[in-house]
Amino acid sequence: MEKRYWLYLLVVIILLVIILYIHTAMNRRKHAQIETFRIAELPLALNRENLFIEDPNIWCNKLATYWLFMNQPNVEARGQNKLVELQEKYRSSGIQPISNVEKRDITAALELNIKSLATSNPNIYHYLKYWSQRFKLAKGANWLEGGMPHTHEDVIVLPPSYFTPTGFQFSTFFHEITHIHQRKYPEDWDDLIWRWGFQHYNFLDSPASGLENIMARNRTNPDGLDVNYVWKCPTSSKYYWIGAIYSTITPTSLTDGIQYIACELNLDNSNNYRFTGTTINLAQFGGFIDYFGVRNNNYHPNEIIAEYMAKYLVGEELSNAGYQIFKRHVETLIWPKYQNDEN
């Protein structure tokens, strides 16, 4: 009787082992099928037919807001005497035709770079999987915005050099797609800008600030049209208006004596900001550089964000307080929004 008991027990153990083995094997197979399904979902295809803008009329329709910020110094800096002349120049030669080879090559470069992030940086992959379906590309003339990459509405404008096998820069594309995000959903970035110490202040609707002559020479930046920001330096608690200005009211180019400056402001008893007369070269403004770790053309909050996004893409870590606040912002508030591909 005792021998039969142990025999039954052995049979039960063997059956349990067999069941466990089968269960494990089925789970592995199921897991493999799930992983295969996920991999099958990773490929991303850009619609080459709808990706590019070459029609001057469609192009000009994207510029309506831009013209509202175009004063006489900015017209002259772009080589024209009258706004209507500049508008015609933009329409007739602002963008260039894109060859089929160029379309093929730049589409392939975008797809390859975005797909490579699927495993190396899933957060940015999902982010770009969403935004890659919501932008257009245009090839700008070399004279357009001084040959600098920029955006209008949902259009990324790249100079001709970017449409060559060795000229395309994915980090620049990521910088520019950020500007499109900023324009479409500015509320995604409002809290970050506020935490940095920027506050919106409408100088145009406020009593004379003393900045009138300086702001008249502000270089219009299509990716940072709104310059009504005051920044409070965290180390000195002083207030500043920061911008890129021409050295003259009649500039001959977009780089004609351009100065990146911070203008010191006082907050009066009526909560109005007044220019103290003190300006600081941004490259020598320790409070700004120490806080953000960037300088010169990255003077506007939109530009700082886009520059940080490009650094995040390539894994460049900054210890500066501004970058660390940015990093927490995107990792807790931005990336989670894009984890669902149906977003």
Side-chain angles (χ1 to χ4, degrees), residues 46-55 59 62 95-98 102-103 105-110 132 134-140 149-152 154-159 162-163 168-169 172-173 176-177 180:
L46 298 175
N47 187 337
R48 195 185 303 176
E49 297 302 319
N50 295 321
L51 180 60
F52 301 95
I53 284 187
E54 299 175 90
D55 186 325
W59 156 244
K62 303 288 185 179
I95 60 172
Q96 300 181 347
I98 308 170
E102 289 173 328
K103 291 178 181 178
D105 288 348
I106 201 164
T107 302
L110 284 170
S132 64
R134 291 163 174 82
F135 80 97
K136 307 289 185 184
L137 269 180
K139 181 165 72 169
H150 60 283
T151 68
H152 291 285
D154 62 345
V155 181
I156 295 175
V157 184
L158 298 176
Y162 280 68
F163 289 80
F168 180 74
Q169 298 177 24
T172 299
F173 164 78
E176 300 304 329
I177 206 80
I180 291 177

Side-chain angles (χ1 to χ4, degrees), residues 19-185:
I19 292 171
L20 181 62
Y21 174 80
I22 293 173
H23 179 73
T24 303
M26 290 178 67
N27 277 344
R28 286 177 178 174
R29 184 178 179 181
K30 182 178 179 181
H31 182 70
Q33 289 173 341
I34 291 173
E35 291 303 314
T36 302
F37 172 76
R38 288 176 181 167
I39 293 171
E41 287 290 297
L42 294 183
L44 173 145
L46 298 175
N47 187 337
R48 195 185 303 176
E49 297 302 319
N50 295 321
L51 180 60
F52 301 95
I53 284 187
E54 299 175 90
D55 186 325
N57 294 319
I58 297 177
W59 156 244
C60 288
N61 288 338
K62 303 288 185 179
L63 303 174
T65 303
Y66 178 61
W67 297 130
L68 297 176
F69 292 82
M70 192 62 62
N71 63 2
Q72 186 60 28
N74 277 288
V75 170
E76 294 184 21
R78 289 162 175 82
Q80 302 299 314
N81 293 318
K82 298 179 179 179
L83 178 59
V84 292
E85 296 173 347
L86 183 61
Q87 290 172 329
E88 175 56 27
K89 184 178 181 181
Y90 269 62
R91 192 200 68 77
S92 62
S93 61
I95 60 172
Q96 300 181 347
I98 308 170
S99 71
N100 288 332
V101 172
E102 289 173 328
K103 291 178 181 178
R104 180 199 67 197
D105 288 348
I106 201 164
T107 302
L110 284 170
E111 290 178 349
L112 180 64
N113 278 279
I114 294 173
K115 289 176 185 178
S116 71
L117 295 166
T119 53
S120 63
N121 199 323
N123 286 326
I124 296 181
Y125 168 75
H126 287 286
Y127 178 81
L128 285 176
K129 193 172 182 183
Y130 176 88
W131 285 105
S132 64
Q133 308 300 321
R134 291 163 174 82
F135 80 97
K136 307 289 185 184
L137 269 180
K139 181 165 72 169
N142 279 317
W143 59 263
L144 188 65
E145 290 300 315
M148 294 182 286
H150 60 283
T151 68
H152 291 285
E153 292 191 1
D154 62 345
V155 181
I156 295 175
V157 184
L158 298 176
S161 61
Y162 280 68
F163 289 80
T164 63
T166 58
F168 180 74
Q169 298 177 24
F170 188 59
S171 59
T172 299
F173 164 78
F174 194 52
H175 177 115
E176 300 304 329
I177 206 80
T178 302
H179 287 317
I180 291 177
H181 179 180
Q182 291 166 339
R183 190 174 291 115
K184 182 69 173 177
Y185 300 117

Side-chain angles (χ1 to χ4, degrees), residues 198-248:
F198 286 100
Q199 57 179 296
H200 199 267
Y201 178 82
N202 195 333
F203 287 94
L204 295 177
D205 294 338
S206 303
S209 64
L211 284 176
E212 293 78 11
N213 291 333
I214 290 177
M215 295 187 76
R217 291 182 280 127
N218 179 71
R219 183 175 67 185
T220 299
N221 175 358
D223 296 318
L225 291 173
D226 185 358
V227 296
N228 290 290
Y229 283 101
V230 172
W231 183 61
K232 184 177 182 180
C233 179
T235 54
S236 68
S237 294
K238 292 182 178 180
Y239 300 98
Y240 298 90
W241 177 86
I242 300 172
I245 65 167
Y246 303 112
S247 59
T248 173

Side-chain angles (χ1 to χ4, degrees), residues 208-309:
S209 64
L211 284 176
E212 293 78 11
N213 291 333
I214 290 177
M215 295 187 76
R217 291 182 280 127
N218 179 71
R219 183 175 67 185
T220 299
N221 175 358
D223 296 318
L225 291 173
D226 185 358
V227 296
N228 290 290
Y229 283 101
V230 172
W231 183 61
K232 184 177 182 180
C233 179
T235 54
S236 68
S237 294
K238 292 182 178 180
Y239 300 98
Y240 298 90
W241 177 86
I242 300 172
I245 65 167
Y246 303 112
S247 59
T248 173
I249 203 69
T250 56
T252 57
S253 72
L254 288 172
T255 57
D256 186 9
I258 204 71
Q259 303 170 11
Y260 300 94
I261 63 170
C263 299
E264 184 181 306
L265 307 171
N266 277 337
L267 185 62
D268 66 20
N269 293 332
S270 300
N271 287 322
N272 294 313
Y273 290 99
R274 309 284 186 177
F275 180 36
T276 66
T278 299
T279 61
I280 305 174
N281 185 319
L282 203 60
Q284 300 171 350
F285 188 2
F288 183 87
I289 294 172
D290 291 344
Y291 188 78
F292 289 110
V294 296
R295 61 184 72 199
N296 290 348
N297 200 46
N298 300 303
Y299 61 93
H300 190 282
N302 286 1
E303 295 291 357
I304 297 171
I305 290 170
E307 181 65 12
Y308 279 173
M309 289 284 274

